[in-house]
């Protein structure tokens, strides 16, 4: 398998965490987002959206969208599970993952930020808007996760929710978004001791700048 990604892409980062949790080895190919390599014809042939990550399977199937890839990998390699069997717990985990992946993360997409600039917003306004959106989303995430026992998002082992949360916390730091998030900090401290999360970290990638 080949994972097409970028070291600082939080969506790619999620998949790297999942691969690490599952113990699945892949070849990694980097596509520099700020240089527009995701818009080159060769990449668009894989994903016409021009978005990362892409997982290219050995049978030439191509998977896109990080959450879909994560669930495919969970079905391919069921242990350790990213989602529990109990339906309510599965729904809670998916809700946290989607809160971040669907409601917070898209606001920091380079295409969205560039569009704001073409509409006349200066860099400071764009950064502030992104930070405010991250802060509001993580404030809600803090409340929701406060309902569940740790040390991970929902229980005593990492799930899909943790794989999505940890990269977003890094993005929060990058955009200067801060808040009173003791529960999120507890989860981040747990992840900082786990090999799969350490290996997936943006700074540990070959293409890191």
């Amino acid at each position: 398998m080949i994972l097409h990604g970028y070291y600082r892409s939080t969506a790619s980062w999620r998949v790297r965490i999942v691969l690490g949790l599952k113990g699945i080895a892949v070849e990694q190919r980097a596509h520099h987002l700020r240089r527009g390599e995701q818009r080159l014809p060769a990449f668009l042939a894989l994903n016409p959206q021009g978005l990362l990550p892409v997982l290219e399977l050995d049978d030439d199937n191509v998977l896109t969208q990080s959450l879909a890839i994560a669930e495919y990998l969970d079905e391919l390699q069921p242990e350790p599970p990213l989602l529990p069997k109990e339906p309510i717990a599965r729904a809670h985990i998916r809700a946290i993952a989607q809160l971040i992946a669907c409601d917070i993360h898209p606001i920091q997409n380079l295409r969205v930020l560039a569009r704001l600039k073409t509409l006349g917003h200066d860099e400071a306004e764009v950064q502030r808007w992104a930070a405010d959106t991250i802060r509001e989303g993580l404030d809600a995430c803090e409340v929701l996760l406060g309902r569940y026992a740790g040390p991970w998002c929902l229980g005593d082992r990492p799930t899909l929710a943790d794989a999505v949360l940890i990269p977003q916390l890094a993005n929060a730091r990058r955009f200067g978004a801060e808040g009173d998030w003791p529960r999120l900090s507890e989860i981040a401290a747990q992840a900082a001791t786990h090999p799969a999360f350490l290996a997936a970290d943006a700074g540990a990638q070959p293409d890191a700048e």
Side-chain angles (χ1 to χ4, degrees):
M1 288 189 284
I2 301 170
L3 177 64
H4 298 264
Y6 178 56
Y7 79 102
R8 208 163 63 182
S9 157
T10 55
S12 302
W13 193 336
R14 297 166 198 157
V15 175
R16 294 197 301 265
I17 291 171
V18 171
L19 288 165
L21 290 172
K22 297 294 185 179
I24 299 174
V26 298
E27 177 186 343
Q28 292 200 50
R29 291 186 188 171
H31 303 265
H32 200 296
L33 293 179
R34 292 194 173 275
R35 295 175 188 156
E37 293 177 358
Q38 75 280 14
R39 295 190 295 272
L40 295 176
F43 184 77
L44 291 175
L46 289 172
N47 184 3
Q49 277 191 293
L51 296 176
L52 299 169
V54 166
L55 186 64
E56 195 174 354
L57 306 184
D58 294 337
D59 62 4
D60 295 329
N61 271 300
V62 174
L63 303 181
T64 63
Q65 294 294 334
S66 62
L67 297 187
I69 293 171
E71 293 212 30
Y72 163 78
L73 293 171
D74 199 34
E75 293 170 1
L76 181 72
Q77 179 68 43
E79 294 295 331
L82 294 179
L83 293 164
K85 293 182 179 179
E86 201 279 312
I88 293 295
R90 290 169 73 89
H92 285 318
I93 289 170
R94 285 188 170 120
I96 294 297
Q98 291 174 25
L99 183 159
I100 296 167
C102 303
D103 296 335
I104 303 176
H105 168 254
I107 302 305
Q108 300 116 65
N109 187 286
L110 286 176
R111 295 190 301 180
V112 174
L113 300 181
R115 179 64 173 163
L116 286 173
K117 292 174 186 176
T118 65
L119 294 173
H121 299 281
D122 63 26
E123 181 68 23
E125 289 176 323
V126 169
Q127 293 289 317
R128 184 167 57 250
W129 182 68
D132 288 346
T133 302
I134 295 169
R135 186 182 306 107
E136 291 168 2
L138 291 180
D139 283 347
C141 201
E142 172 72 20
V143 174
L144 289 170
L145 289 176
R147 299 173 181 174
Y148 314 117
W152 296 96
C153 284
L154 286 97
D156 59 2
R157 62 186 179 192
T159 65
L160 178 63
D162 301 280
V164 178
L165 173 65
I166 296 304
Q168 183 58 58
L169 291 177
N171 239 18
R173 292 190 295 272
R174 189 160 65 90
F175 280 90
E178 299 178 346
D180 182 20
W181 304 320
R183 182 74 175 93
L184 303 188
S185 297
E186 175 189 38
I187 297 163
Q190 186 73 12
T193 68
H194 194 292
F197 288 82
L198 293 172
D201 189 85
Q205 304 314 302
D207 59 318
E209 297 172 348

